[in-house]
Amino acid sequence: MQTFRNLVPDVPATPLVEEAIRLLHSNGGHAPATEVCACILELPDLEPAVAAALVSELIGEDWRLRVTGDGVEVVCEDDECRALSETDFVVFDIETTGPKMPPSRVMEIGAARVRDGRIVAEFQTLVNPLTPIPPFIAGLTGIRDEMVADAPTFEDVAADWLGFADTSVLVAHNAVFDVRFINHEVSHVFPGRRMMNSHICTVSLARQLLPELKSFRLGALAEHFAVPHRTRHRAGDDARATASVFIRLLEHLDGHGVRDLNGARRFRKQLQPQASGQAAEAGSA
């Protein structure tokens, strides 16, 4: 089976693995296997080779950790602490044959890679969902059965999609839906696997940064930021518009002194209530 850096077993990591990751991060990303065994497994004074074998068994198929000789290192970067200015984001959108999976399937993927505050690459493809497209969905998106009849299946594009996303932070409008749906498709091609990428939602981020807005739909945010949004409900244009909105939201975060993903998740802008005296004065002006 082809391997990808952003696929992990679709099971929660054991608490011991998570403890090992925290230990390694506190040590700069690497430590002797003997130290991991002593601190995490409470097995001190082991021979280095024995400790390395035990850590290998502990890690299992979790690619985030790697045993190298007698040491252990973290393979992936800690996205939560990585500077936003140094992070690659893949902003993506999918069109599906319905809202629930199963039985609904992905029929289009669009994505834009954002780096250093600009779009540097794009990914777009129709996908043959191997199921008829309901009339309502066809009317909403303009994607019809004949358009996807000769399109690649998700299995055909999975490797290209995973390679494009790589270990970037995924961004989407209503990200929970898109990430769950894309992982459902991934699980068909790579049973028992899911994408490990961190993700962030532009709806949530906009609510945190711009609580004064009345609507957080993509169209409303695009209009607010004067972002072109030519064709709605098509993955490529929606992803491009979302990426442009996200870039503007990153600028707002920077203006508030937010420098990493963890800070972006935690930030909350408070609406300032207008003093009653000021409101009365303004009303009489």
Side-chain angles (χ1 to χ4, degrees):
M1 180 175 65
Q2 188 175 359
T3 58
F4 295 90
R5 296 200 304 161
N6 50 348
L7 286 186
V8 294
D10 191 17
V11 293
T14 68
L16 291 178
V17 171
E18 296 298 346
E19 285 185 35
I21 290 174
R22 285 193 290 270
L23 171 66
L24 293 170
H25 277 311
S26 69
N27 285 355
H30 55 84
T34 52
E35 182 178 348
V36 174
C37 285
C39 296
I40 305 302
L41 301 178
E42 298 184 356
L43 295 173
D45 305 321
L46 293 178
E47 291 292 327
V50 174
L54 286 175
V55 173
S56 293
E57 185 175 346
L58 170 68
I59 294 170
E61 296 184 65
D62 195 319
W63 77 274
R64 296 175 296 171
L65 300 179
R66 177 171 60 199
V67 177
T68 56
D70 297 334
V72 188
E73 64 181 10
V74 179
V75 176
C76 65
E77 296 189 48
D78 187 353
D79 288 324
E80 299 299 310
C81 298
R82 196 193 310 177
L84 293 173
S85 60
E86 299 173 2
T87 300
D88 269 19
F89 300 93
V90 165
V91 186
F92 79 106
D93 182 73
I94 55 175
E95 299 301 332
T96 66
T97 60
K100 294 183 180 179
M101 42 75 182
S104 302
R105 302 294 301 272
V106 167
M107 58 183 188
E108 190 174 37
I109 306 171
R113 178 176 294 275
V114 171
R115 180 187 300 151
D116 296 328
R118 61 191 182 92
I119 296 173
V120 297
E122 296 189 60
F123 177 95
Q124 184 175 354
T125 183
L126 285 167
V127 178
N128 187 335
L130 302 176
T131 187
I133 299 172
F136 171 77
I137 298 297
L140 180 69
T141 64
I143 301 174
R144 305 185 182 280
D145 290 328
E146 56 269 24
M147 294 171 60
V148 298
D150 296 324
T153 64
F154 188 85
E155 183 175 3
D156 294 329
V157 303
D160 290 338
W161 159 248
L162 291 169
F164 185 83
D166 197 37
T167 57
S168 63
V169 174
L170 298 179
V171 181
H173 211 63
N174 295 315
V176 171
F177 174 85
D178 290 66
V179 171
R180 283 180 178 172
F181 222 111
I182 204 81
N183 268 324
H184 179 69
E185 292 284 2
V186 165
S187 71
H188 283 296
V189 184
F190 301 97
R193 297 289 190 273
R194 64 174 175 82
M195 297 181 71
M196 52 69 66
N197 305 64
S198 297
H199 64 268
I200 193 164
C201 177
T202 47
V203 174
S204 299
L205 194 57
R207 288 184 187 276
Q208 294 162 211
L209 287 164
L210 304 166
E212 67 276 9
L213 295 185
K214 294 181 179 180
S215 173
F216 298 94
R217 292 181 298 105
L218 178 56
L221 291 176
E223 183 177 352
H224 176 76
F225 288 122
V227 165
H229 190 196
R230 294 172 295 179
T231 309
R232 300 184 182 187
H233 301 297
R234 290 301 302 267
D237 283 339
D238 281 354
R240 198 174 300 111
T242 303
S244 296
V245 165
F246 179 64
I247 289 169
R248 297 297 300 275
L249 293 174
L250 286 176
E251 293 171 359
H252 277 260
L253 285 171
D254 186 68
H256 288 287
V258 177
R259 301 289 184 260
D260 57 35
L261 190 60
N262 186 51
R265 295 191 196 285
R266 294 173 177 273
F267 180 81
R268 294 293 185 276
K269 180 182 177 183
Q270 300 297 322
L271 280 173
Q272 297 297 323
Q274 192 174 30
S276 57
Q278 291 177 329
E281 182 179 346
S284 62

